[in-house]
Each structure stands twice: as structure tokens, then as C-alpha cells.
Amino acid sequence: MDKSWWKGAVIYQIYPRSFKDGNQDGIGDLDGITEELDYIRDLGVDAIWLSPIFRSPMKDFGYDISDYREIDPLFGTMADFDRLLEAAHERGIKVILDQVYNHTSDQHPWFKESCSSKDNPKADWYVWVDGEKGTPPNNWLSYFGGEAWEWVETRKQYYLHLFVKEQPDLNWRHHEVRKQVMQSIKFWLDKGVDGFRFDVVNLFYKDDRLRDNPVKYPEEPIAFNRHYHLYTRDRPETEGAVEEIRELMDFYDDRVSIGEVATELGQAQYFAYTRPNRLNLAFNFDFKELRPFAAKTYTEHVKLNESVFRDFAWPSYVLGNHDSKRFLSKLGEGEDALRKAKVLAALLLTLRGTPFIYYGEEIGMREAEIPYEKIVDPQGKNLWPKNVGRDGCRTPMQWNSGLYAGFSRTEPWLPIGGDVQEVNVERQKADPASMLQYYKQLIRIRKASDALRFGRLEFLETKEEALMAFFRIGESERNLVLLNFGDRAIGLNLEDFGVKTWRYLGGTTSHPVGFSGLSLSLEPYEAAILETN
Ligand code: NOJ
Ligand code: CA
């Protein structure tokens, strides 16, 4: 059994602008994160992944980078970063950084130089194409609305940007670009960071013939992304680039590579990026969109995943991130939504595969409503009201119910969520029945079991439609996970599953740990984790 740390780890995503403000300017920063490392350690997670902290004009809040080797002053200095890294390592917390190499900022010196003429040394470092002003080279569209092409008068050419126009796409076909990327990765590896999340890793190469993408929804206005991105992603050349990254990372001990694979093509694509000589992990975003909330939906999805991944690659699961509506808010309102969220949290933390938790999920933060005037995300600004953007899932972490949720003493860059009175760390620390305590418990249970972290997954067939039941089977231990997706109690005789002895480890009810018996009645939306013979 391969027990690489990242297989057994729980990874916590921090959106640095919104976690904790150390210098009281209203924007989260590195010192703020360092201040809260004890909170992170107590939560029990093994690693933090920081969304970009590098120098950036912030047109896409850090995903537009103008210097890959500098910390943006808003977040602090390199010395602050070194301190954060050291303090995290002292607590046994690994640090994963975001790497954005599909595009740079238009303020990156490379792009400025590239823009200046057609024959400067960096002239081909970006995707430049001849054309007529007003007639872009093909029909490719930006993910953030409108054409993916921008005209530059000095060169009398178009450049490609799959995101906002301030994010020009790098030309990965240029050997020097590839070399620069590898050197920048190496810079952070040498600093001792534990791994990377690679932004839109499957977009690096585009069709060299610039063929039109097939139109998917002809009725959509051009502002919306109405195409299949057939020729703008998953090109075979990308796989070679990923292999080169892996080769570099393998020179170092124990680093993890995680790909953000932006695709609609399903498991096959995640798999393509996570072969033994490619990335260690790729995000599987499917849980974010799975409907309806039913045992069958999730069971089928996980089975499919397992059948694709088998022993070749390691799965991963997320319920939310900085690009999508907070998952709790997708489950509806009130108590039932909270109960459902707890079922999904138990699923996330007991499956075979690396779980990611997005900051705030552990206290049950909901999507915040942001009035139009306060929207800052380019996606929301460009596509409103059809797409309100991502600000609602990026609001400040709610530490307490005081001024600005204890995030800052200055008005924060985004408003505080309306649920702060109930949903905050301080309150939930003191409440044994809170979401925070529940997450801590789940993480603790996972950590204590080799079976849950590394073991095989075996589903149980039952007649109960609302029940999801599976074993996690380790070398010497076995866990049984029972999830009631329904609003009615389910009576179970565990002997039917071949279980003779068991111990209750935890879940949504307050059965005492160690509680045992032969039959077990699952309450509506109950999650129960057992240790069995
Ligand atoms: C994916 C990131 O998660 C998203 O936040 C960003 O806007 C795009 N990539 C562009 O870098
Ligand atoms: Ca700050």
C-alpha cells in the first residue's frame, strides 16, 4: 500500500485575501494566515493550499501574475512568506502554492516587451496572430465573456487571452517560455514548499491551426461562453509539458502536484493528467454540481470514478472552492441544508481519495449576497446578472461576531456574510454540536484510520434507496460508513452486512464513541462511521 502523505492528507484551501488581515488594511495577508496557524492545526488538516500570493495587478485577484518570484505587497514580503512556511512546518502543516502558467498579467515585463514590437527577443512568448482590426482570427471566446482576442496597435496583431484581456496566454510552444516556467517552479521548490496546484493545467496548449471551436449554444450572445472548448484545451502537447513538470518535481522528495483540469469531459480527462509520470492529483469537481441530493447520485458517481482510477491514479474530491457558489447554499435553506451538508462532509472525509476543504466550509459559511455595486470579480461584472460572479464565495472568514467578523478592524474588500452571528469560529468552538466540531471530529477519525486514508473502497448493496453504505478496508482494520440521504429513519441489522462486531466512531448523532450492538437505527440525514470486524 503506497502511503504517500498527499494520499492520506486533508488539504485546506485558503483564499489569502479573505482569511485574516494581519495589518488591518481590509485585505487578508500572509501575516494573518500565520496568526491563525494554530486554528488550522487544531482543525487537524495536513496541508494548506494558498490561492496566488504573487505580485499582481489583481485584475483577477492574483490569477494575473506580473512576477512569479515576488510576493505581492498587499500580502506581505518574502520574509513574511518565509516565516509563514517555517511556522507551518513547525506545526506539521505542509504548504502548497498556486502556480498560474497558462497566462501572465499584461503588466508582466515579458508581456510588455513582447508587445513592443514584432521582433523583440520575447516577440513570440505569447500567442500573437495576424489579422484585421475588428476581425479576430477565429471564434475562440474568453471564459469571462466576449472574444478571446485583443488587438494591439504597435504590432498590428491580436493576442490570445482565454480569461480577461489583462491575462494574455503564454505561448507554450516557445522553448524559452517552457524553460522559464520550469525555473520558476524550481525557485519555489528550492524554497521548500511542499507542492503546487497548477491553474487550468489543461489549457496550456491550443490548437496550432487555430481551428474554430464548435458552437454549443448558438442562441447565446457572444458575451457568454457558448462553445465547446475543443481546440482550446486538452491538446496532446500539454501532456508532454505536464510530464516535464513532474520530472522536475521528482528531483525533490515528497512534493505534491495537483492539476486544475478545467474540462467538461469527465473522469477520463482527470485520469489523463494523473498518470504515474504526470501529476499526482487532479481536481474532480463533479461533487460541486451533482444533483439531486440522493444516495444513488453520489454512489454512481463514486463507482464510476473508482472504475476509472483503480490502481493507476489517486482520486480527489471537493465540495467547493473560490470559483463556485458555497456548497451549503446549493443545498437549500434552514436545518435540512445543514443536515445534508453534514452528510456530504462525511462522504468527502471517508472516501478513498484526497479531500479538499475550502476555508469557511468547516463552519458552514453560506454564499453571501453581494449587491451589484459591490461586485469586484470580473466574471460577475462582465456577465451580470446571468452570472453574478464569484465574490459571494470569497467573503472574509468569520472568526467572531464582532467588528467585521474579527477578520479585520478596517472595512474589508468584500462584505461580511449575513449569517455571521451564528456562523463564526468563536461561537462554534464553544458549541459541541457545531459544524466546526463536526468537521474536527471527521478529520480526527480519518487521521486515526489507515483504512479511511489509504484503504480499498467497497460498496454494500442494500434495499434502502436513501442509504449509501461502504466499507473502507485497510491492511488490518476496516471501517463501515453509513450515510442516510433521506428524511426518514432507516433500521439496519448489521449482521446482514456480515458485520459481527462494531464500534461507533462518530458522525452526526451523539451516540457515545464505542457504542455498539447488533442493530442500528439511522436517523434522517444521519452519517455514522463505525469500526468493524
Ligand atoms: C482558474 C482559477 O481557479 C480562477 O479563479 C481563475 O480566474 C482562472 N483559473 C484564471 O486563472
Ligand atoms: Ca492586510
Side-chain angles (χ1 to χ4, degrees), residues 60 63 103 144 163 197 199-200 260 322-323 390 394:
D60 189 17
Y63 284 95
H103 44 267
F144 290 158
F163 296 91
R197 174 261 192 197
D199 192 64
V200 290
E260 187 210 18
H322 64 294
D323 290 331
R390 303 163 292 180
R394 297 174 175 180

Side-chain angles (χ1 to χ4, degrees), residues 450-508:
D450 256 22
L452 285 176
R453 285 183 302 150
F454 307 109
R456 268 191 306 119
L457 170 65
E458 207 173 86
F459 278 100
L460 293 168
E461 301 304 329
T462 81
K463 291 189 294 295
E464 298 290 345
E465 226 181 276
L467 177 67
M468 181 170 183
F470 55 86
F471 279 119
R472 294 297 312 283
I473 304 165
E475 283 158 343
S476 57
E477 63 205 324
R478 202 156 75 130
N479 293 103
L480 175 59
V481 179
L482 300 166
L483 305 174
N484 183 356
F485 278 72
D487 58 5
R488 280 193 306 211
I490 301 175
L492 293 173
N493 185 341
L494 294 183
E495 274 182 324
D496 295 347
F497 301 145
V499 170
K500 293 201 177 62
T501 56
W502 57 275
R503 256 164 46 87
Y504 183 81
L505 294 182
T508 49

Side-chain angles (χ1 to χ4, degrees), residues 233-268:
R233 67 182 177 201
D234 299 318
R235 308 311 298 161
E237 298 94 321
T238 307
E239 292 162 11
V242 166
E243 285 169 11
E244 191 178 336
I245 291 175
R246 177 60 186 271
E247 209 179 307
L248 169 62
M249 291 185 66
D250 278 350
F251 277 110
Y252 297 77
D253 286 340
D254 268 354
R255 312 298 166 100
V256 68
S257 50
I258 308 161
E260 187 210 18
V261 180
T263 187
E264 290 160 4
L265 303 178
Q267 283 82 1

Side-chain angles (χ1 to χ4, degrees), residues 68 99-103 170 172 181 184-185 188 198-199 204:
Y68 287 112
Q99 299 281 279
V100 187
Y101 296 121
N102 175 68
H103 44 267
L170 281 164
W172 271 80
V181 168
S184 147
I185 295 174
W188 291 103
F198 292 98
D199 192 64
F204 289 177

Side-chain angles (χ1 to χ4, degrees), residues 66 84 128 187 210 234 304 437:
S66 56
L84 165 57
W128 291 99
F187 173 84
L210 303 178
D234 299 318
L304 182 64
Q437 301 297 352

Side-chain angles (χ1 to χ4, degrees), residues 20-30 73-75 407-408:
K20 184 78 187 259
D21 183 9
N23 68 349
Q24 313 306 330
D25 65 352
I27 298 177
D29 46 47
L30 296 178
L74 266 182
F75 295 128
F407 163 76
S408 177

Side-chain angles (χ1 to χ4, degrees), residues 347-390:
L347 176 64
L348 177 80
L349 290 159
T350 55
L351 276 176
R352 172 181 177 267
T354 304
F356 289 79
I357 297 173
Y358 180 51
Y359 85 94
E361 277 173 7
E362 77 277 22
I363 53 171
M365 272 173 67
R366 294 183 159 273
E367 182 79 359
E369 282 202 29
I370 311 288
Y372 179 72
E373 326 74 72
K374 295 229 160 129
I375 290 181
V376 292
D377 174 23
Q379 184 177 301
K381 281 207 255 185
N382 295 347
L383 303 176
W384 198 88
K386 182 163 170 166
N387 183 330
V388 299
R390 303 163 292 180

